[in-house]
Amino acid sequence: MSLNRAVRIVALLAVSAVPSTLSGQVTSWVEQRCGISPGDFRINGALLYLQNAYKTRFADQEQKDMNDARKNLLEALTTGGQTKNPAAWYYLGRYYVKLNDAVGADSAFARAEVLAPKCHDDIAVWRRVLWVPLINAGVSALNANDQDSAIATFTRANAVYRNEPQGLSGLAGIYANWGSAPADTAALRSTCAAKRTAAQCDSVMRARATRDSILDRTAVDSAVKYYQMEFDQVSDAKYAKDRRTALFNTGVVYTNAKRWPEAVAAYHRYLAQVPGDMQGTVGLATAFQALGMKDSSNAMYQQVLTHADSAQALDLFQAGAAIFQSVQSPPDTSALGQSCRADARKDRTLTLLKVRQRCDAVTSKTMADYHTATASQYRLAAQAFEAGLAKNPYYRDGIYNLANTYYVLEDTAHLMTMVQRLLAVDPLNRNSIRLQAAAWQLKGKPDSTLYYLKVADSMSLDVTVSGFSSDDQGAAVTGVVSNRGKAPSAPGKLVFEFLDVKGAVVSSQDYDLPAVPADGNARLEVHTIGAGIVGWRYHKG
């Protein structure tokens, strides 16, 4: 499971407007509340026709009243000299509200508000009346995985009303996740190969990659645009958290796109709003690290560890993973040794033994210096993982990553303990077994090392849990079961236990292992209901 955060589209709650039904459709006439008067007989007539259109029970009469209202308003605005009269534009907007025409209402209300700023709050009510059904339609389109309709609907919603965040965050989330489902290039190439030559397919695939790259960058810019609009234009204090989240998500979008200088700027803006926030600090540290600014990066990670008590477990796990990954690669001792031997041979007084001894000493010192220099970073990573596991002892990737860190530090005592914890959670994962072999190797036990390597290599089924999510309602794990054997596997059962922070079993679910073909895979997906779930473990049923 990756520790990278992804921007998620959270399902938007259905919203209602007053005065309206749950669908947002206005059901009765409501007087304007900003003190403007018609001031012209045609506008006054239009007002009466609009009132009647709401009161009548007959569709043909309603249609006639609406037509007469429109006729009067257009006459007032085109030949009646009323273009500077806010009432003309206001009631034209109300006419469009009745028709559920968001574009027409937006245009008319915008003119009315310029002429009569005191009508801002009244107009906002009617804008929201039109906005409600659009937002709900956009959510429905998202739930149906119809992104094109969702984009079109949220765009219409944002055109008429932007005092609340749902439409802007909905669009931003769609674009932020644009590239989260990578194209199946193997399938694309296979389809192409059926119709074209290999050279032609190479050209097609390059063109597709270029197009996808352009689309991804455009999507990133669009996501950032709408998050920025959400921060700038949603002013109500009750949405302060949403505005801050929009700033944070801007940093996440740039991080996922590996646009590091922009990510740094975005996280700085976020931290200016939420000083000391752990997620923002980790995000900024990650961006610094990617830019090669190791001192700045380590300073940020140290802040996270200093305030570990207030950090969330996932922040600490992410910090640990980023610190671990920031350690520079070991020096190329092979190239160093070759260079040393070439120089040493110039001294003809040196024997081959002396040359080897001199150069072995050089490479040994180089590696010793490397381990000394990097040990502090690995210990910092271990501290982050340890702090995270203190908050959530059953997070599998935290356990696995800490075990790997202990291995690099050659901390055999802690490593063996952590491997046992890992196997208690994830016993049928080949990498878990190999880590156990590595622990025995560090302890100088070759027989045990060989035994567990053979166990790992002989495993026909390899269980890989690649995703875990939880909320107040329940949790889910996803992944894959691979058959590395030469024959189909037999059906079986795994029992997944979902745990709270104290290790108590909140719920358990069976997963029926199918017969997996040789060198094949089966999707693993288990859902459960329950609150307070922070981790999982499984065993054979």
Side-chain angles (χ1 to χ4, degrees):
M1 289 179 284
S2 170
L3 289 174
N4 292 332
R5 294 192 193 314
V7 180
R8 294 186 301 156
I9 303 172
V10 179
L12 305 177
L13 295 177
V15 288
S16 61
V18 179
S20 68
T21 64
L22 289 177
S23 68
Q25 181 62 49
V26 179
T27 56
S28 61
W29 174 258
V30 177
E31 296 291 341
Q32 57 89 6
R33 306 170 192 174
C34 53
I36 57 174
S37 59
D40 179 87
F41 71 94
R42 285 157 295 207
I43 300 174
N44 191 63
L47 169 57
L48 294 174
Y49 284 126
L50 284 173
Q51 292 173 333
N52 290 336
Y54 277 95
K55 293 176 182 178
T56 184
R57 293 177 297 172
F58 304 104
D60 57 344
Q61 183 62 47
E62 178 183 345
Q63 184 63 54
K64 181 179 183 303
D65 288 333
M66 290 294 289
N67 290 340
D68 288 340
R70 179 177 184 275
K71 177 182 177 183
N72 277 18
L73 289 168
L74 292 182
E75 284 183 1
L77 289 167
T78 55
T79 62
Q82 299 300 306
T83 56
K84 300 297 184 181
N85 185 341
W89 295 108
Y90 174 86
Y91 287 114
L92 182 60
R94 293 287 296 271
Y95 164 82
Y96 283 122
V97 169
K98 176 67 173 171
L99 294 180
N100 203 31
D101 183 341
V103 175
D106 173 55
S107 177
F109 281 144
R111 298 288 293 271
E113 193 168 347
V114 169
L115 296 168
K118 62 183 179 179
C119 288
H120 171 80
D121 291 344
D122 182 287
I123 288 173
V125 170
W126 298 108
R127 286 181 176 278
R128 192 176 189 277
V129 165
L130 293 166
W131 178 81
V132 168
L134 291 172
I135 288 295
N136 290 337
V139 173
S140 296
L142 277 184
N143 291 338
N145 294 318
D146 187 351
Q147 283 194 344
D148 291 342
S149 293
I151 288 171
T153 307
F154 283 140
T155 299
R156 289 172 60 206
N158 293 331
V160 73
Y161 182 74
R162 292 192 292 272
N163 290 5
E164 297 178 46
Q166 288 94 328
L168 294 167
S169 62
L171 270 180
I174 291 171
Y175 286 118
N177 289 286
W178 192 270
S180 61
D184 186 345
T185 54
L188 290 173
R189 182 173 286 279
S190 176
T191 301
C192 178
K195 302 176 182 179
R196 296 179 173 89
T197 66
Q200 289 173 329
C201 286
D202 287 342
S203 177
V204 168
M205 297 302 290
R206 285 194 298 271
R208 176 64 179 262
T210 301
R211 189 204 70 174
D212 287 348
S213 176
I214 294 171
L215 287 176
D216 286 347
R217 185 171 185 89
T218 301
V220 167
D221 292 338
S222 295
V224 169
K225 169 188 169 183
Y226 289 111
Y227 281 133
Q228 187 63 53
M229 288 174 66
E230 181 180 354
F231 180 77
D232 291 339
Q233 299 182 25
V234 178
S235 57
D236 194 316
K238 69 181 179 181
Y239 296 115
K241 182 178 179 181
D242 297 88
R243 295 175 70 242
R244 293 192 296 268
T245 299
L247 281 184
F248 175 75
N249 283 342
T250 299
V252 174
V253 168
Y254 280 136
T255 296
N256 290 344
K258 294 182 172 51
R259 289 166 59 171
W260 302 115
E262 292 149 303
V264 167
Y267 287 124
H268 273 309
R269 289 187 65 208
Y270 174 70
L271 289 169
Q273 295 287 322
V274 195
D277 177 80
M278 290 297 101
Q279 292 186 18
T281 303
V282 169
L284 181 58
T286 302
F288 279 146
Q289 175 188 316
L291 289 170
M293 302 168 64
K294 292 187 177 179
D295 290 342
S296 297
S297 177
N298 286 338
M300 292 292 101
Y301 289 131
Q302 191 61 61
Q303 282 188 33
V304 174
L305 296 180
T306 301
H307 300 91
D309 288 346
S310 61
Q312 295 182 8
L314 186 60
D315 295 325
L316 295 165
F317 292 136
Q318 183 175 0
I323 295 168
F324 189 99
Q325 292 163 2
S326 72
V327 178
Q328 65 185 26
S329 300
D332 185 353
T333 54
S334 175
L336 184 64
Q338 288 179 2
S339 175
C340 175
R341 288 189 292 274
D343 289 339
R345 289 190 189 106
K346 295 176 183 177
D347 184 350
R348 300 192 178 276
T349 64
L350 294 177
T351 64
L352 290 176
L353 177 61
K354 292 291 186 182
V355 170
R356 184 171 66 252
Q357 290 173 338
R358 173 188 291 187
C359 294
D360 286 350
V362 169
T363 55
S364 296
K365 183 178 185 305
T366 299
M367 288 305 300
D369 291 344
Y370 169 79
H371 288 305
T372 300
T374 58
S376 60
Q377 285 181 278
Y378 284 124
R379 281 194 290 270
L380 194 63
Q383 290 175 32
F385 291 131
E386 289 164 352
L389 288 172
K391 293 174 178 288
N392 181 359
Y394 301 98
Y395 190 79
R396 184 268 180 194
D397 282 4
I399 299 171
Y400 180 81
N401 288 340
L402 181 55
N404 273 288
T405 307
Y406 286 149
Y407 175 75
V408 174
L409 290 170
E410 299 184 1
D411 185 345
T412 55
H414 287 102
L415 171 58
M416 189 60 74
T417 300
M418 200 54 53
V419 167
Q420 295 307 314
R421 286 177 62 178
L422 177 64
L423 290 171
V425 170
D426 192 16
L428 299 180
N429 179 266
R430 183 171 293 193
N431 287 331
S432 299
I433 307 298
R434 284 175 174 164
L435 198 52
Q436 187 174 32
W440 284 114
Q441 182 183 35
L442 275 184
K443 290 177 74 71
K445 302 291 185 179
D447 291 344
S448 296
T449 302
L450 183 59
Y451 171 79
Y452 284 106
L453 284 175
K454 288 181 177 178
V455 170
D457 289 341
S458 64
M459 290 173 61
S460 57
L461 287 182
D462 184 11
V463 176
T464 302
V465 174
S466 56
F468 169 68
S469 61
S470 65
D471 56 29
D472 294 339
Q473 305 300 316
V477 294
T478 56
V480 64
V481 177
S482 303
N483 180 6
R484 303 181 185 278
K486 296 181 179 180
S489 64
K493 182 172 71 173
L494 298 179
V495 178
F496 275 84
E497 296 177 339
F498 293 88
L499 312 171
D500 66 16
V501 72
K502 294 182 179 180
V505 177
V506 176
S507 66
S508 64
Q509 293 290 330
D510 292 347
Y511 168 74
D512 292 324
L513 277 167
V516 184
D519 293 324
N521 299 312
R523 177 168 174 76
L524 169 67
E525 186 168 351
V526 182
H527 297 265
T528 192
I529 297 174
I533 295 171
V534 300
W536 51 268
R537 67 187 177 210
Y538 66 85
H539 57 81
K540 285 186 176 181

